[in-house]
Amino acid sequence: MANFIEEVIERDLATKKHTKIALRYPPEPNGYLHIGHAKAILINYGLAQKYNGTCNLRFDDTNPIKENDEYVQAIIQDMKWLGWQGNIYYASDYFEKTLEIAKSLILKGVAYVDLSTPEEIKDMRGTLTQVGRESKYRNTSIDDNTKLFQDMIDGKFEEGKAVLRAKIDMSSPNMNMRDPIIYRVLNAHHYRQGDKYKVYPMYDFAHPIQDAIEGITHSCCSLEFENNRPLYDWVIQQSACFETIPHQYEFARLNIDGYKLSKRHLINLVQDNLVQGWDDPRMPTLVGLRRRGYTANSIKKFCNDIGVSKSNSTVDIAMLESCIRDELNHTAQRAMVSIDPIELVVIDRDDNWTENLELDTVVDGQTIDNSFVKISNKIYIDRADFAINPPPKYKRLTVGGLVRLKAAYIVKCEKYDTDCNGNVVKVYVSIVPNSKSGQDKSGLKGVGVIHWVDAKNSVDIKVRHFDKLLDENDKYNPNSIEILEAKMDKDFVNKAERFQFLRHGYYCIDKPVANIQQSNTQSQLVFNRIVGLKDGFKH
Protein backbone atom coordinates (compact mmCIF):
# COMPACT_ATOMS: atom_id res chain seq x y z
CA MET A 1 0.00 0.00 0.00
CA ALA A 2 1.40 3.39 -1.00
CA ASN A 3 2.13 5.98 1.69
CA PHE A 4 0.80 9.53 1.36
CA ILE A 5 3.94 10.87 -0.38
CA GLU A 6 3.91 8.00 -2.86
CA GLU A 7 0.25 8.77 -3.60
CA VAL A 8 1.19 12.38 -4.40
CA ILE A 9 4.07 11.33 -6.66
CA GLU A 10 1.97 8.74 -8.50
CA ARG A 11 -0.75 11.32 -9.08
CA ASP A 12 1.78 13.91 -10.31
CA LEU A 13 3.31 11.43 -12.74
CA ALA A 14 -0.09 10.20 -13.93
CA THR A 15 -1.33 13.74 -14.64
CA LYS A 16 1.97 14.67 -16.32
CA LYS A 17 2.53 17.43 -13.79
CA HIS A 18 6.05 16.03 -13.69
CA THR A 19 7.57 13.64 -16.20
CA LYS A 20 10.36 12.81 -13.78
CA ILE A 21 10.68 13.37 -10.05
CA ALA A 22 13.64 14.96 -8.30
CA LEU A 23 14.28 14.90 -4.56
CA ARG A 24 17.10 16.00 -2.30
CA TYR A 25 18.52 15.56 1.17
CA PRO A 26 19.77 18.92 2.58
CA PRO A 27 21.89 18.42 5.74
CA GLU A 28 23.66 21.27 7.48
CA PRO A 29 27.36 20.31 7.89
CA ASN A 30 27.51 21.25 11.58
CA GLY A 31 27.67 17.76 13.05
CA TYR A 32 27.50 14.06 12.24
CA LEU A 33 24.32 12.38 11.05
CA HIS A 34 22.27 10.33 13.52
CA ILE A 35 19.75 7.56 12.93
CA GLY A 36 16.91 10.08 12.69
CA HIS A 37 18.62 11.55 9.65
CA ALA A 38 18.87 8.04 8.19
CA LYS A 39 15.08 7.86 8.02
CA ALA A 40 14.91 11.13 6.06
CA ILE A 41 17.73 10.05 3.75
CA LEU A 42 16.16 6.68 3.02
CA ILE A 43 12.71 8.17 2.43
CA ASN A 44 14.05 10.64 -0.14
CA TYR A 45 16.46 8.23 -1.81
CA GLY A 46 13.95 5.39 -1.64
CA LEU A 47 11.33 7.47 -3.45
CA ALA A 48 13.86 8.44 -6.10
CA GLN A 49 14.75 4.79 -6.68
CA LYS A 50 11.15 3.57 -6.72
CA TYR A 51 10.02 6.15 -9.28
CA ASN A 52 13.20 6.29 -11.36
CA GLY A 53 14.04 9.80 -10.21
CA THR A 54 17.04 11.55 -8.73
CA CYS A 55 18.05 12.44 -5.19
CA ASN A 56 20.65 15.16 -4.67
CA LEU A 57 22.82 15.61 -1.60
CA ARG A 58 22.88 19.34 -1.00
CA PHE A 59 24.78 20.82 1.93
CA ASP A 60 22.96 23.66 3.65
CA ASP A 61 26.18 25.54 4.39
CA THR A 62 24.66 28.98 5.01
CA ASN A 63 25.98 29.40 8.56
CA PRO A 64 29.81 29.63 8.55
CA ILE A 65 29.98 29.84 12.34
CA LYS A 66 29.14 26.16 12.85
CA GLU A 67 30.13 24.41 9.64
CA ASN A 68 33.32 22.74 8.42
CA ASP A 69 34.65 20.22 5.91
CA GLU A 70 35.05 17.44 8.50
CA TYR A 71 31.27 17.24 8.78
CA VAL A 72 30.88 17.42 5.00
CA GLN A 73 33.13 14.41 4.45
CA ALA A 74 31.49 12.46 7.27
CA ILE A 75 28.02 13.07 5.84
CA ILE A 76 29.12 11.98 2.36
CA GLN A 77 30.58 8.79 3.80
CA ASP A 78 27.38 8.08 5.77
CA MET A 79 25.21 8.68 2.73
CA LYS A 80 27.26 6.29 0.62
CA TRP A 81 27.28 3.72 3.43
CA LEU A 82 23.47 3.75 3.32
CA GLY A 83 23.64 3.11 -0.42
CA TRP A 84 22.92 6.61 -1.72
CA GLN A 85 24.22 7.56 -5.16
CA GLY A 86 23.72 10.93 -6.78
CA ASN A 87 25.00 14.46 -7.29
CA ILE A 88 26.50 16.62 -4.55
CA TYR A 89 25.68 20.32 -4.34
CA TYR A 90 26.37 23.13 -1.87
CA ALA A 91 24.05 25.98 -0.88
CA SER A 92 27.12 28.24 -0.86
CA ASP A 93 27.44 27.76 -4.63
CA TYR A 94 24.09 29.54 -4.98
CA PHE A 95 24.98 32.60 -2.90
CA GLU A 96 25.12 34.94 -5.89
CA LYS A 97 21.76 33.78 -7.23
CA THR A 98 20.25 34.05 -3.76
CA LEU A 99 21.56 37.61 -3.38
CA GLU A 100 20.14 38.47 -6.79
CA ILE A 101 16.69 37.26 -5.73
CA ALA A 102 16.90 39.14 -2.41
CA LYS A 103 17.64 42.35 -4.30
CA SER A 104 14.69 41.68 -6.61
CA LEU A 105 12.39 41.41 -3.60
CA ILE A 106 13.57 44.81 -2.40
CA LEU A 107 12.81 46.27 -5.83
CA LYS A 108 9.34 44.69 -5.68
CA GLY A 109 8.75 46.35 -2.31
CA VAL A 110 8.39 43.03 -0.43
CA ALA A 111 11.69 43.15 1.50
CA TYR A 112 13.27 45.82 3.68
CA VAL A 113 16.33 46.40 5.82
CA ASP A 114 15.56 46.61 9.53
CA LEU A 115 18.00 48.39 11.82
CA SER A 116 16.16 47.40 14.99
CA THR A 117 18.02 45.42 17.65
CA PRO A 118 17.54 41.62 17.76
CA GLU A 119 15.60 42.06 21.00
CA GLU A 120 13.28 44.62 19.40
CA ILE A 121 12.64 42.40 16.38
CA LYS A 122 11.84 39.44 18.62
CA ASP A 123 9.41 41.57 20.61
CA MET A 124 7.74 42.85 17.41
CA ARG A 125 6.85 39.31 16.33
CA GLY A 126 4.25 38.99 19.09
CA THR A 127 3.13 35.64 20.45
CA LEU A 128 0.89 32.76 19.43
CA THR A 129 -2.06 34.68 20.92
CA GLN A 130 -0.98 38.24 20.14
CA VAL A 131 -0.31 39.64 16.66
CA GLY A 132 2.98 41.29 15.83
CA ARG A 133 3.83 44.97 15.43
CA GLU A 134 5.22 46.56 12.32
CA SER A 135 8.79 47.87 12.42
CA LYS A 136 9.36 51.57 11.96
CA TYR A 137 11.68 50.60 9.09
CA ARG A 138 8.99 48.59 7.30
CA ASN A 139 8.04 51.41 4.93
CA THR A 140 11.53 52.64 4.12
CA SER A 141 11.80 53.54 0.43
CA ILE A 142 12.98 51.04 -2.15
CA ASP A 143 16.00 53.22 -2.96
CA ASP A 144 17.04 53.45 0.71
CA ASN A 145 16.54 49.72 1.22
CA THR A 146 18.64 49.00 -1.87
CA LYS A 147 21.46 51.17 -0.51
CA LEU A 148 21.20 49.75 3.01
CA PHE A 149 21.30 46.17 1.75
CA GLN A 150 24.34 46.97 -0.36
CA ASP A 151 25.98 48.39 2.76
CA MET A 152 25.26 45.08 4.48
CA ILE A 153 26.82 43.21 1.57
CA ASP A 154 29.87 45.50 1.65
CA GLY A 155 30.47 44.83 5.35
CA LYS A 156 29.55 48.31 6.58
CA PHE A 157 27.34 46.91 9.36
CA GLU A 158 28.40 44.96 12.42
CA GLU A 159 26.64 41.71 13.29
CA GLY A 160 23.22 42.31 14.79
CA LYS A 161 22.99 45.90 13.52
CA ALA A 162 21.02 45.23 10.33
CA VAL A 163 18.95 42.43 8.78
CA LEU A 164 16.91 42.04 5.62
CA ARG A 165 13.30 41.05 6.34
CA ALA A 166 10.56 39.84 4.04
CA LYS A 167 7.48 42.12 4.09
CA ILE A 168 4.57 39.72 4.49
CA ASP A 169 2.00 40.01 7.28
CA MET A 170 2.69 40.97 10.91
CA SER A 171 -0.83 39.90 11.88
CA SER A 172 -0.58 36.40 10.39
CA PRO A 173 -1.56 33.57 12.77
CA ASN A 174 1.56 31.79 11.46
CA MET A 175 4.49 33.49 13.18
CA ASN A 176 6.83 32.37 10.39
CA MET A 177 5.02 34.82 8.12
CA ARG A 178 5.48 37.84 10.38
CA ASP A 179 8.15 39.55 8.32
CA PRO A 180 10.81 36.84 8.79
CA ILE A 181 14.50 37.66 8.57
CA ILE A 182 15.90 36.42 5.27
CA TYR A 183 19.48 37.80 5.45
CA ARG A 184 21.81 38.62 8.33
CA VAL A 185 25.34 39.97 8.74
CA LEU A 186 27.96 37.40 9.75
CA ASN A 187 31.61 38.35 9.88
CA ALA A 188 32.87 34.78 9.80
CA HIS A 189 35.17 32.73 7.58
CA HIS A 190 33.27 30.29 5.38
CA TYR A 191 34.95 26.90 4.94
CA ARG A 192 34.34 27.01 1.15
CA GLN A 193 33.85 30.68 0.28
CA GLY A 194 36.48 32.12 2.60
CA ASP A 195 35.88 35.78 3.51
CA LYS A 196 34.06 36.70 0.31
CA TYR A 197 30.66 37.25 1.92
CA LYS A 198 29.59 39.39 4.86
CA VAL A 199 25.91 38.48 4.63
CA TYR A 200 24.35 35.02 4.68
CA PRO A 201 20.79 33.90 3.86
CA MET A 202 18.52 32.26 6.41
CA TYR A 203 17.59 28.63 5.75
CA ASP A 204 13.89 29.35 5.18
CA PHE A 205 14.77 31.80 2.42
CA ALA A 206 17.65 29.94 0.80
CA HIS A 207 16.18 26.44 0.87
CA PRO A 208 13.23 26.90 -1.53
CA ILE A 209 15.48 28.84 -3.92
CA GLN A 210 18.01 26.00 -3.92
CA ASP A 211 15.24 23.45 -4.52
CA ALA A 212 13.98 25.47 -7.48
CA ILE A 213 17.45 25.96 -8.97
CA GLU A 214 18.06 22.19 -8.89
CA GLY A 215 14.63 21.40 -10.33
CA ILE A 216 13.44 19.57 -7.22
CA THR A 217 9.83 18.44 -7.63
CA HIS A 218 9.03 17.03 -4.18
CA SER A 219 10.79 18.64 -1.22
CA CYS A 220 10.25 16.11 1.57
CA CYS A 221 11.14 17.06 5.13
CA SER A 222 10.17 16.30 8.74
CA LEU A 223 6.94 17.46 10.30
CA GLU A 224 8.62 20.23 12.30
CA PHE A 225 8.81 22.26 9.07
CA GLU A 226 5.07 22.10 8.40
CA ASN A 227 4.52 25.66 9.63
CA ASN A 228 7.37 26.83 7.40
CA ARG A 229 5.63 25.66 4.24
CA PRO A 230 3.68 28.93 3.66
CA LEU A 231 6.98 30.84 3.75
CA TYR A 232 8.53 28.25 1.39
CA ASP A 233 5.69 28.85 -1.07
CA TRP A 234 5.90 32.64 -0.64
CA VAL A 235 9.61 32.70 -1.51
CA ILE A 236 9.03 30.62 -4.66
CA GLN A 237 6.07 32.76 -5.71
CA GLN A 238 7.86 36.07 -5.14
CA SER A 239 11.02 34.87 -6.90
CA ALA A 240 8.98 34.03 -10.03
CA CYS A 241 11.99 33.00 -12.09
CA PHE A 242 12.00 29.19 -12.03
CA GLU A 243 10.84 26.65 -14.56
CA THR A 244 10.21 23.94 -11.96
CA ILE A 245 8.02 24.85 -8.98
CA PRO A 246 8.89 22.59 -6.02
CA HIS A 247 6.37 21.70 -3.33
CA GLN A 248 7.10 20.76 0.26
CA TYR A 249 5.71 17.62 1.94
CA GLU A 250 6.21 16.74 5.60
CA PHE A 251 6.50 13.36 7.31
CA ALA A 252 6.88 12.37 10.96
CA ARG A 253 10.43 12.43 12.26
CA LEU A 254 12.01 9.47 14.01
CA ASN A 255 11.97 9.38 17.82
CA ILE A 256 13.47 6.46 19.75
CA ASP A 257 12.60 5.77 23.37
CA GLY A 258 15.51 6.65 25.67
CA TYR A 259 17.52 8.46 22.98
CA LYS A 260 17.80 12.18 22.36
CA LEU A 261 18.12 12.61 18.60
CA SER A 262 19.25 16.21 18.73
CA LYS A 263 22.39 17.37 16.97
CA ARG A 264 22.91 20.03 19.63
CA HIS A 265 22.69 17.43 22.40
CA LEU A 266 25.15 15.14 20.59
CA ILE A 267 27.57 18.04 20.06
CA ASN A 268 27.46 18.75 23.80
CA LEU A 269 28.28 15.11 24.60
CA VAL A 270 31.34 15.30 22.36
CA GLN A 271 32.50 18.73 23.50
CA ASP A 272 32.05 17.83 27.19
CA ASN A 273 34.13 14.66 26.65
CA LEU A 274 31.33 12.47 27.96
CA VAL A 275 31.89 10.17 24.98
CA GLN A 276 34.99 9.18 23.01
CA GLY A 277 33.84 11.11 19.95
CA TRP A 278 31.15 11.14 17.30
CA ASP A 279 31.78 7.45 16.59
CA ASP A 280 31.47 6.32 20.20
CA PRO A 281 29.47 3.06 19.98
CA ARG A 282 26.97 4.43 22.51
CA MET A 283 26.11 7.35 20.23
CA PRO A 284 23.01 7.16 17.97
CA THR A 285 25.11 8.66 15.17
CA LEU A 286 25.51 6.60 12.01
CA VAL A 287 29.27 6.44 12.60
CA GLY A 288 28.61 5.31 16.18
CA LEU A 289 26.18 2.63 15.07
CA ARG A 290 28.62 1.53 12.36
CA ARG A 291 31.45 1.25 14.86
CA ARG A 292 29.20 -0.68 17.22
CA GLY A 293 28.57 -3.20 14.44
CA TYR A 294 25.23 -2.27 12.92
CA THR A 295 24.96 -2.82 9.18
CA ALA A 296 23.47 -0.52 6.56
CA ASN A 297 20.90 -3.22 5.75
CA SER A 298 19.70 -3.37 9.35
CA ILE A 299 19.26 0.43 9.42
CA LYS A 300 17.35 0.28 6.13
CA LYS A 301 15.07 -2.48 7.39
CA PHE A 302 14.41 -0.56 10.59
CA CYS A 303 13.44 2.61 8.72
CA ASN A 304 11.35 0.65 6.25
CA ASP A 305 9.49 -1.15 9.05
CA ILE A 306 8.66 2.21 10.69
CA GLY A 307 7.16 3.48 7.47
CA VAL A 308 6.11 7.00 6.45
CA SER A 309 3.32 8.84 8.24
CA LYS A 310 2.23 12.31 9.30
CA SER A 311 1.84 11.40 12.99
CA ASN A 312 4.78 11.71 15.37
CA SER A 313 5.42 8.69 17.56
CA THR A 314 8.20 7.11 19.58
CA VAL A 315 9.75 3.79 18.56
CA ASP A 316 11.16 1.26 21.02
CA ILE A 317 14.90 0.62 20.55
CA ALA A 318 14.04 -3.11 20.62
CA MET A 319 12.74 -2.70 17.07
CA LEU A 320 16.18 -1.65 15.82
CA GLU A 321 17.86 -4.38 17.86
CA SER A 322 15.53 -6.96 16.32
CA CYS A 323 16.54 -5.88 12.81
CA ILE A 324 20.27 -6.39 13.38
CA ARG A 325 19.73 -9.53 15.45
CA ASP A 326 17.69 -11.17 12.68
CA GLU A 327 20.43 -10.42 10.16
CA LEU A 328 23.32 -11.55 12.33
CA ASN A 329 21.54 -14.74 13.34
CA HIS A 330 22.10 -15.94 9.77
CA THR A 331 25.43 -14.28 9.01
CA ALA A 332 27.57 -13.94 12.14
CA GLN A 333 30.50 -16.26 12.79
CA ARG A 334 29.92 -18.38 15.91
CA ALA A 335 32.67 -18.45 18.50
CA MET A 336 33.11 -19.46 22.12
CA VAL A 337 34.46 -16.67 24.31
CA SER A 338 35.01 -16.77 28.06
CA ILE A 339 34.14 -13.47 29.76
CA ASP A 340 35.62 -12.80 33.20
CA PRO A 341 37.35 -16.18 32.90
CA ILE A 342 38.44 -18.68 35.51
CA GLU A 343 40.66 -21.67 34.78
CA LEU A 344 39.19 -25.14 34.61
CA VAL A 345 41.59 -28.11 34.90
CA VAL A 346 40.68 -31.59 33.62
CA ILE A 347 42.37 -33.76 36.25
CA ASP A 348 42.03 -37.08 34.43
CA ARG A 349 43.90 -35.89 31.34
CA ASP A 350 47.61 -35.04 31.22
CA ASP A 351 49.33 -32.02 29.63
CA ASN A 352 49.82 -33.87 26.33
CA TRP A 353 46.11 -34.53 25.81
CA THR A 354 44.43 -32.58 23.02
CA GLU A 355 41.50 -33.15 20.69
CA ASN A 356 39.89 -31.40 17.75
CA LEU A 357 36.15 -30.95 18.16
CA GLU A 358 33.46 -29.93 15.68
CA LEU A 359 31.48 -26.81 16.57
CA ASP A 360 28.48 -26.49 14.29
CA THR A 361 25.59 -24.03 14.25
CA VAL A 362 22.13 -24.79 12.94
CA VAL A 363 19.65 -21.99 12.23
CA ASP A 364 16.16 -22.68 10.92
CA GLY A 365 17.11 -26.28 10.28
CA GLN A 366 20.18 -25.45 8.21
CA THR A 367 23.85 -25.59 9.16
CA ILE A 368 25.26 -22.10 8.63
CA ASP A 369 28.58 -22.51 10.39
CA ASN A 370 30.89 -25.48 10.84
CA SER A 371 34.18 -24.95 12.69
CA PHE A 372 36.73 -26.93 14.66
CA VAL A 373 38.06 -26.09 18.10
CA LYS A 374 40.90 -27.54 20.14
CA ILE A 375 40.54 -28.76 23.71
CA SER A 376 43.26 -29.66 26.22
CA ASN A 377 43.39 -30.35 29.94
CA LYS A 378 43.32 -26.62 30.76
CA ILE A 379 40.49 -24.43 29.55
CA TYR A 380 38.67 -21.25 30.60
CA ILE A 381 35.01 -20.87 31.49
CA ASP A 382 32.95 -17.84 32.51
CA ARG A 383 33.14 -17.03 36.19
CA ALA A 384 29.34 -16.87 36.14
CA ASP A 385 29.24 -20.53 35.07
CA PHE A 386 30.53 -21.80 38.44
CA ALA A 387 28.96 -21.34 41.86
CA ILE A 388 29.99 -22.65 45.26
CA ASN A 389 26.54 -21.96 46.66
CA PRO A 390 24.28 -21.90 43.61
CA PRO A 391 20.93 -20.10 43.58
CA PRO A 392 17.73 -22.07 42.93
CA LYS A 393 17.38 -23.56 39.43
CA TYR A 394 21.07 -22.94 38.70
CA LYS A 395 21.96 -24.98 35.58
CA ARG A 396 25.70 -24.60 35.45
CA LEU A 397 28.70 -26.03 37.23
CA THR A 398 28.66 -26.69 41.00
CA VAL A 399 30.73 -28.89 43.31
CA GLY A 400 29.77 -32.50 42.57
CA GLY A 401 27.53 -31.40 39.72
CA LEU A 402 27.54 -32.35 36.04
CA VAL A 403 27.49 -30.04 33.02
CA ARG A 404 28.28 -30.53 29.37
CA LEU A 405 31.11 -28.57 27.81
CA LYS A 406 29.75 -27.33 24.49
CA ALA A 407 30.70 -29.73 21.63
CA ALA A 408 32.87 -31.73 24.06
CA TYR A 409 32.22 -33.86 27.16
CA ILE A 410 30.11 -34.02 30.27
CA VAL A 411 32.32 -33.10 33.24
CA LYS A 412 31.95 -33.39 36.98
CA CYS A 413 33.30 -30.75 39.37
CA GLU A 414 35.64 -32.35 41.92
CA LYS A 415 37.01 -29.31 43.77
CA TYR A 416 38.10 -25.67 43.45
CA ASP A 417 40.75 -23.23 44.69
CA THR A 418 40.20 -19.75 46.05
CA ASP A 419 42.49 -16.81 46.72
CA CYS A 420 42.96 -15.06 50.07
CA ASN A 421 39.77 -13.09 49.46
CA GLY A 422 37.66 -16.14 48.84
CA ASN A 423 37.43 -15.64 45.10
CA VAL A 424 37.45 -18.80 42.98
CA VAL A 425 40.62 -18.95 40.87
CA LYS A 426 40.62 -22.53 39.62
CA VAL A 427 38.11 -25.33 39.21
CA TYR A 428 38.99 -29.03 38.86
CA VAL A 429 36.81 -31.47 36.89
CA SER A 430 36.85 -35.02 35.63
CA ILE A 431 35.39 -36.26 32.34
CA VAL A 432 32.42 -38.61 32.43
CA PRO A 433 33.44 -41.69 30.36
CA ASN A 434 31.75 -42.18 26.97
CA SER A 435 30.12 -38.71 27.09
CA LYS A 436 31.64 -37.10 23.99
CA SER A 437 29.17 -34.87 22.19
CA GLY A 438 27.55 -36.68 19.25
CA GLN A 439 28.80 -40.07 20.54
CA ASP A 440 27.40 -40.01 24.08
CA LYS A 441 26.77 -43.47 25.55
CA SER A 442 27.15 -42.51 29.20
CA GLY A 443 23.46 -42.48 30.01
CA LEU A 444 24.02 -39.30 32.06
CA LYS A 445 22.95 -35.72 31.47
CA GLY A 446 24.41 -32.51 32.70
CA VAL A 447 22.16 -29.84 34.18
CA GLY A 448 23.15 -27.51 31.37
CA VAL A 449 25.64 -26.68 28.62
CA ILE A 450 28.44 -24.16 29.10
CA HIS A 451 30.96 -22.79 26.63
CA TRP A 452 34.71 -22.69 27.11
CA VAL A 453 38.01 -21.66 25.49
CA ASP A 454 41.14 -23.79 25.36
CA ALA A 455 43.90 -22.19 27.46
CA LYS A 456 46.71 -23.22 25.12
CA ASN A 457 44.93 -21.77 22.08
CA SER A 458 43.50 -18.60 23.61
CA VAL A 459 44.19 -14.89 23.24
CA ASP A 460 43.34 -12.10 25.66
CA ILE A 461 40.63 -9.69 24.52
CA LYS A 462 38.40 -7.02 26.03
CA VAL A 463 34.66 -6.86 25.52
CA ARG A 464 32.60 -3.71 25.89
CA HIS A 465 28.95 -3.85 26.90
CA PHE A 466 26.78 -0.76 26.46
CA ASP A 467 23.71 0.73 28.03
CA LYS A 468 21.76 3.86 27.09
CA LEU A 469 23.65 7.15 27.32
CA LEU A 470 20.72 8.79 29.12
CA ASP A 471 18.98 7.59 32.27
CA GLU A 472 15.25 7.83 32.92
CA ASN A 473 15.70 11.53 33.83
CA ASP A 474 17.48 12.33 30.53
CA LYS A 475 20.76 12.76 32.41
CA TYR A 476 24.09 11.29 31.32
CA ASN A 477 24.40 7.69 32.47
CA PRO A 478 27.95 7.15 33.85
CA ASN A 479 27.33 3.38 33.77
CA SER A 480 26.59 3.30 30.04
CA ILE A 481 29.75 1.29 29.31
CA GLU A 482 31.25 -1.78 30.98
CA ILE A 483 34.66 -3.17 29.95
CA LEU A 484 35.43 -6.81 30.75
CA GLU A 485 38.44 -9.07 30.32
CA ALA A 486 37.90 -12.20 28.22
CA LYS A 487 39.55 -15.12 26.47
CA MET A 488 38.95 -16.03 22.84
CA ASP A 489 40.13 -18.90 20.65
CA LYS A 490 42.91 -17.32 18.59
CA ASP A 491 41.91 -19.30 15.49
CA PHE A 492 38.63 -17.34 15.35
CA VAL A 493 39.99 -13.81 15.70
CA ASN A 494 40.51 -13.19 11.98
CA LYS A 495 37.61 -15.28 10.72
CA ALA A 496 35.09 -12.44 10.59
CA GLU A 497 34.21 -8.92 11.69
CA ARG A 498 30.95 -9.85 13.40
CA PHE A 499 30.48 -12.79 15.75
CA GLN A 500 27.92 -14.46 17.88
CA PHE A 501 29.71 -15.16 21.15
CA LEU A 502 27.74 -18.18 22.27
CA ARG A 503 25.34 -17.38 25.12
CA HIS A 504 26.52 -13.75 25.26
CA GLY A 505 25.29 -11.93 22.16
CA TYR A 506 26.56 -10.47 18.91
CA TYR A 507 29.91 -8.67 18.81
CA CYS A 508 32.21 -6.95 16.38
CA ILE A 509 35.86 -5.99 16.42
CA ASP A 510 36.15 -2.35 17.50
CA LYS A 511 37.40 -0.20 14.65
CA PRO A 512 37.20 3.61 14.78
CA VAL A 513 35.41 4.90 11.68
CA ALA A 514 37.87 5.90 8.96
CA ASN A 515 36.80 9.54 8.56
CA ILE A 516 37.53 10.30 12.21
CA GLN A 517 41.18 10.84 13.04
CA GLN A 518 41.48 8.25 15.77
CA SER A 519 43.36 5.02 16.21
CA ASN A 520 42.74 2.00 18.39
CA THR A 521 45.49 2.30 20.97
CA GLN A 522 44.38 -0.74 22.96
CA SER A 523 47.16 -3.24 23.61
CA GLN A 524 44.75 -6.08 22.85
CA LEU A 525 41.72 -6.66 20.67
CA VAL A 526 38.51 -4.97 21.75
CA PHE A 527 35.04 -6.25 20.84
CA ASN A 528 31.86 -4.21 21.04
CA ARG A 529 28.62 -5.95 21.87
CA ILE A 530 26.24 -5.03 19.06
CA VAL A 531 23.16 -6.51 20.68
CA GLY A 532 22.32 -9.25 23.13
CA LEU A 533 20.68 -12.54 22.25
CA LYS A 534 16.93 -12.76 22.15
CA ASP A 535 15.59 -14.38 25.33
CA GLY A 536 15.48 -18.12 24.85
CA PHE A 537 17.27 -17.83 21.51
CA LYS A 538 20.81 -19.12 21.94
CA HIS A 539 22.88 -21.18 19.53
Side-chain angles (χ1 to χ4, degrees), residues 3-6 8-9 12 21-27 37 39-48 51 54-56 58 203 207 211 216-226 229 232 246-252 308:
N3 61 55
F4 74 96
I5 300 179
E6 291 172 339
V8 169
I9 292 174
D12 290 347
I21 67 165
L23 300 102
R24 83 293 166 269
Y25 180 67
H37 297 123
K39 177 183 176 182
I41 293 166
L42 293 169
I43 286 175
N44 281 282
Y45 186 54
L47 290 169
Y51 297 102
T54 60
C55 179
N56 296 340
R58 183 208 310 135
Y203 176 81
H207 181 65
D211 280 352
I216 301 303
T217 58
H218 300 77
S219 182
C220 302
C221 58
S222 55
L223 205 56
E224 63 202 270
F225 291 99
E226 185 174 28
R229 192 192 328 142
Y232 183 101
H247 289 274
Q248 178 176 301
Y249 303 91
E250 306 88 16
F251 54 82
V308 180

Side-chain angles (χ1 to χ4, degrees), residues 104-116:
S104 74
L105 298 188
I106 294 174
L107 294 176
K108 289 178 65 175
V110 293
Y112 63 96
V113 174
D114 197 330
L115 303 181
S116 304

Side-chain angles (χ1 to χ4, degrees), residues 101 104-105 108 110 168 177 205 208-209 212 229-242 244-247:
I101 291 174
S104 74
L105 298 188
K108 289 178 65 175
V110 293
I168 308 179
M177 301 297 282
F205 179 64
I209 293 172
R229 192 192 328 142
L231 178 55
Y232 183 101
D233 293 339
W234 183 91
V235 171
I236 294 295
Q237 181 184 20
Q238 294 297 328
S239 301
C241 60
F242 300 111
T244 299
I245 305 300
H247 289 274

Side-chain angles (χ1 to χ4, degrees), residues 159-224:
E159 291 184 17
K161 298 298 183 181
V163 295
L164 183 68
R165 298 177 69 180
K167 187 189 291 187
I168 308 179
D169 182 2
M170 290 303 294
S171 63
S172 172
N174 186 336
M175 293 185 67
N176 293 302
M177 301 297 282
R178 296 180 187 175
D179 290 13
I181 296 171
I182 58 176
Y183 258 97
R184 78 283 207 200
V185 175
L186 287 178
N187 293 313
H189 182 83
H190 192 278
Y191 76 103
R192 293 185 77 243
Q193 299 291 351
D195 300 317
K196 181 178 180 180
Y197 296 97
K198 301 299 181 185
V199 294
Y200 290 88
M202 301 299 290
Y203 176 81
D204 283 341
F205 179 64
H207 181 65
I209 293 172
Q210 295 153 16
D211 280 352
I213 291 173
E214 293 176 12
I216 301 303
T217 58
H218 300 77
S219 182
C220 302
C221 58
S222 55
L223 205 56
E224 63 202 270

Side-chain angles (χ1 to χ4, degrees), residues 423-462:
N423 298 313
V424 176
V425 293
K426 192 176 293 187
V427 176
Y428 300 88
V429 300
S430 59
I431 291 177
V432 172
N434 300 314
S435 66
K436 188 173 183 178
S437 183
Q439 305 173 22
D440 192 345
K441 298 179 182 178
S442 67
L444 299 175
K445 285 188 176 181
V447 295
V449 180
I450 64 175
H451 58 272
W452 50 274
V453 177
D454 185 63
K456 295 178 181 178
N457 208 48
S458 68
V459 62
D460 291 330
I461 64 170
K462 291 182 185 292

